[in-house]
């Protein structure tokens, strides 16, 4: 694989993983699905499952292992089919919103109060009888 395609694979993977915790996730996921749809190979199903799993597993964190996984996957796809470069370039071109460098967040809860907070992105939680029972046992 030439150096340009290797760098493109790394940039595409970084953009994909960085988007996981932002409002750009659906757009990034759609671009990656387009790459996978055009790709030929036996890893199509594996990568599609990994993409779906990633959408819920790593929200808000850029994990180096996840970037490495997607860099390797994109490298292999580009190595087999360099014509995918334009689609990977669209993924790599996503502009992830910059986060401020210093942020302070103070949260206080006393007695039986609950506090929910999110710094960036969305917060998802479930509340109901089972979650309350579990909390009482702790």
């Amino acid at each position: 694989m030439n150096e340009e395609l290797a760098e493109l694979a790394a940039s595409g993977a970084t953009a994909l993983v960085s988007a996981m915790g932002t409002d750009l996730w659906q757009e990034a996921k759609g671009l990656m699905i387009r790459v996978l749809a055009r790709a030929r190979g036996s890893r199509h199903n594996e990568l599609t499952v990994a993409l779906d799993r990633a959408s819920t597993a790593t929200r808000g964190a850029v994990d180096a292992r996840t970037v490495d996984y997607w860099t390797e996957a994109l490298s292999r796809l580009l190595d087999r089919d360099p014509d995918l470069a334009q689609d990977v370039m669209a993924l790599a071109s996503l502009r992830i919103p910059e986060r401020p460098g210093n942020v302070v967040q103070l949260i206080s809860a006393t007695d039986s109060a609950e506090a929910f907070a999110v710094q960036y992105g969305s917060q998802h939680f479930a509340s109901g009888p089972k979650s309350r029972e579990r909390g009482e046992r702790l």
Side-chain angles (χ1 to χ4, degrees), residues 19-31:
M20 288 177 184
T22 71
D23 294 335
L24 288 176
W25 172 240
Q26 291 304 317
E27 183 178 355
K29 183 179 176 182
L31 290 168

Side-chain angles (χ1 to χ4, degrees), residues 69-108:
Y69 175 85
W70 287 106
T71 299
E72 183 270 332
L74 286 170
S75 294
R76 285 186 180 191
L77 293 172
L78 287 167
D79 196 35
R80 260 186 267 145
D81 186 0
D83 291 337
L84 293 172
Q86 187 172 0
D87 291 324
V88 176
M89 194 173 302
L91 176 62
S93 297
L94 279 178
R95 294 288 170 233
I96 307 301
E98 298 220 7
R99 296 177 177 176
N102 295 322
V103 176
V104 176
Q105 183 176 32
L106 300 173
I107 303 164
S108 178

